[in-house]
Amino acid sequence: GAMEAVEAAAEEAEGTPIGFLQSARRSLRGKPNKDGARSVVVELLRQQGSKLKSTLLTALAGKIAADPFAKVKQLIQELIERLLTEASNEANQKGWCDKATKDAEQKRDYAAEEISTLNGKMAELEALIDKLTVELAELTKAIKELEDARAKAEKERKEEKAENAATVAEAHAGLSAINQAIDIISKFYKSAKKEQVDLSLAQGPADDAPDAGFDNGEAYTGAQSESGGIIGMMEVMKSDFERTISETEAAEAQAEEDHLEFMTETGKSLESKKVASAERSTQKDDASEKLDKADENLDEQTKILETSIQELLDLKPVCVDTGMSYKERVARREDEIAALKKADCILSAYEQYGPDGLSDAC
């Protein structure tokens, strides 16, 4: 229709501004009303089209000038309505662009902040896991050394205890034997000292009897002079056995006390290290779980960041790279609408007042 023709012509329309109303009055004198009004409108649209660099106004001027049968007022009204519709649509688009851009920027900024926070948190968790891993290794080693030391101590204590028990038993046996020997010998010497020989039983002349080292009729009483030495030696042996028993039992008691003290202290240390190891293990598991979760969140936030950046890139040609800013487009459209309304006013005023009433009316 007529508007499509105007829009098509708008792409090629050009014009040169002139002193509009003055020249309009001169050129309209003597022309019929309808043609005069059309000429004034054409000049106005060309002048404003050139001034505003509006291809729509220039194209409309060309359409009106080329087609004497064109319904000028209708063309102007249609173009005004078209521009108002575009203004409304663009305002809606501007609102949509602003909201979409704001949403994308918020997502981008939030994701970037989250990524920064997560990276810091993950670095802390990784450092904590490394620290706990080292501590767990040290605790595991210490626990193994304590368990080995305790096992060795138990084994050695068992062996030492058996050895001491055998020593004491052997000494007791020796002591019992030496006590019996001392008793027998003591009794022997005591009884032998009192003995006499009955000579009535002797055969042959007494004088022919060989010398036995003691008088005729004197009984053998043993080596009474040596008895003290023999028993003394046995008493020394007895003392040795008793000393062995007492010293071994004392050593056993001390060894048992030392062993119990060692097992108590190492037991406390072992239990403490096992508790610490369990705590470190729990902390490490917790840190590893948090690290895995943080890693998942990092992947999610990275995707959100990438998506929001892509959204902003997609919005750029529609909302940013439009040749003119929204403010500039609104200003030019308002100027175009004002020019069209003035043209419409001129048509109405010319019909009512003629060319002389243009200045006062419009």
Side-chain angles (χ1 to χ4, degrees):
M3 281 307 302
E4 285 77 4
V6 169
E7 290 174 1
E11 297 179 1
E12 299 178 359
E14 294 180 359
T16 303
I18 58 173
F20 171 67
L21 290 177
Q22 293 82 358
S23 61
R25 289 194 189 94
R26 289 195 301 271
S27 61
L28 289 176
R29 298 191 190 284
K31 292 186 178 180
N33 286 353
K34 187 176 180 180
D35 291 341
R38 182 187 297 268
S39 298
V40 172
V41 167
V42 168
E43 290 299 325
L44 170 66
L45 293 176
R46 283 177 175 169
Q47 181 181 3
Q48 292 300 101
S50 177
K51 177 182 178 182
L52 301 175
K53 296 182 174 56
S54 170
T55 55
L56 281 177
L57 295 181
T58 304
L60 179 60
K63 170 66 177 175
I64 295 171
D67 184 2
F69 300 103
K71 297 179 181 179
V72 178
K73 202 170 186 64
Q74 181 180 342
L75 287 174
I76 292 173
Q77 288 296 332
E78 287 178 356
L79 191 53
I80 289 173
E81 290 174 5
R82 180 64 173 270
L83 289 173
L84 290 173
T85 300
E86 285 182 2
S88 176
N89 291 340
E90 188 170 41
N92 292 335
Q93 182 180 358
K94 175 66 166 52
W96 175 82
C97 281
D98 288 346
K99 184 178 184 305
T101 300
K102 184 178 180 181
D103 290 345
E105 287 176 344
Q106 285 180 338
K107 287 193 294 182
R108 177 200 63 192
D109 295 344
Y110 178 80
E113 184 176 349
E114 282 294 295
I115 288 171
S116 177
T117 301
L118 286 168
N119 281 328
K121 183 178 180 180
M122 289 174 70
E124 291 178 358
L125 288 170
E126 287 171 351
L128 176 59
I129 289 172
D130 290 342
K131 177 176 175 288
L132 291 172
T133 299
V134 172
E135 290 179 357
L136 279 170
E138 292 174 350
L139 285 169
T140 300
K141 180 182 178 183
I143 289 171
K144 178 68 167 55
E145 290 175 350
L146 280 172
E147 289 176 339
D148 289 346
R150 284 168 61 83
K152 181 181 179 183
E154 288 279 22
K155 179 175 179 294
E156 292 178 349
R157 177 82 277 271
K158 184 178 180 180
E159 292 174 351
E160 185 182 23
K161 187 173 184 176
E163 183 179 343
N164 287 336
T167 300
V168 170
E170 186 178 324
H172 273 297
L175 180 61
S176 177
I178 202 67
N179 280 333
Q180 290 178 8
I182 291 172
D183 184 59
I184 292 170
I185 292 173
S186 294
K187 287 180 179 179
F188 167 74
Y189 281 115
K190 286 178 182 178
S191 61
K193 189 174 182 179
K194 300 175 181 178
E195 291 294 329
Q196 292 290 328
V197 177
D198 186 1
L199 294 178
S200 64
L201 296 176
Q203 297 179 354
D207 292 338
D208 294 336
D211 184 8
F214 45 84
D215 296 333
N216 286 334
E218 182 183 356
Y220 177 70
T221 59
Q224 293 291 335
S225 62
E226 302 294 333
S227 63
I230 294 172
I231 293 175
M233 290 176 59
M234 288 184 174
E235 291 290 349
V236 171
M237 294 174 65
K238 177 183 176 181
S239 177
D240 288 342
F241 283 127
E242 289 175 340
R243 185 174 63 254
T244 297
I245 292 170
S246 64
E247 288 181 354
T248 303
E249 288 178 343
E252 170 63 22
Q254 185 63 50
E256 184 66 19
E257 182 181 344
D258 292 343
H259 176 70
L260 287 175
E261 183 179 355
F262 173 78
M263 293 301 289
T264 300
E265 292 301 319
T266 55
K268 290 179 181 177
S269 179
L270 181 62
E271 186 61 26
S272 173
K273 285 177 171 53
K274 284 184 176 180
V275 171
S277 179
E279 290 176 349
R280 300 295 191 282
S281 182
T282 299
Q283 290 173 355
K284 183 180 177 183
D285 291 342
D286 181 59
S288 296
E289 184 178 345
K290 289 180 179 178
L291 181 62
D292 290 340
K293 187 174 181 180
D295 190 48
E296 291 177 4
N297 289 340
L298 181 64
D299 289 340
E300 292 176 3
Q301 294 302 324
T302 299
K303 290 178 182 177
I304 292 174
L305 178 63
E306 292 172 349
T307 301
S308 60
I309 290 174
Q310 186 58 50
E311 288 175 358
L312 289 171
L313 291 174
D314 292 340
L315 288 170
K316 190 175 181 182
V318 178
C319 301
V320 180
D321 296 338
T322 55
M324 297 176 67
S325 69
Y326 175 74
K327 185 176 181 180
E328 290 171 338
R329 290 195 302 276
V330 169
R332 189 175 75 171
R333 187 178 293 111
E334 288 175 351
D335 289 340
E336 288 174 333
I337 291 173
L340 290 170
K341 285 183 177 180
K342 186 170 184 178
D344 186 55
C345 175
I346 288 172
L347 287 175
S348 298
Y350 194 91
E351 289 177 358
Q352 187 172 357
Y353 305 113
D356 293 332
L358 292 182
S359 298
D360 295 334
C362 304

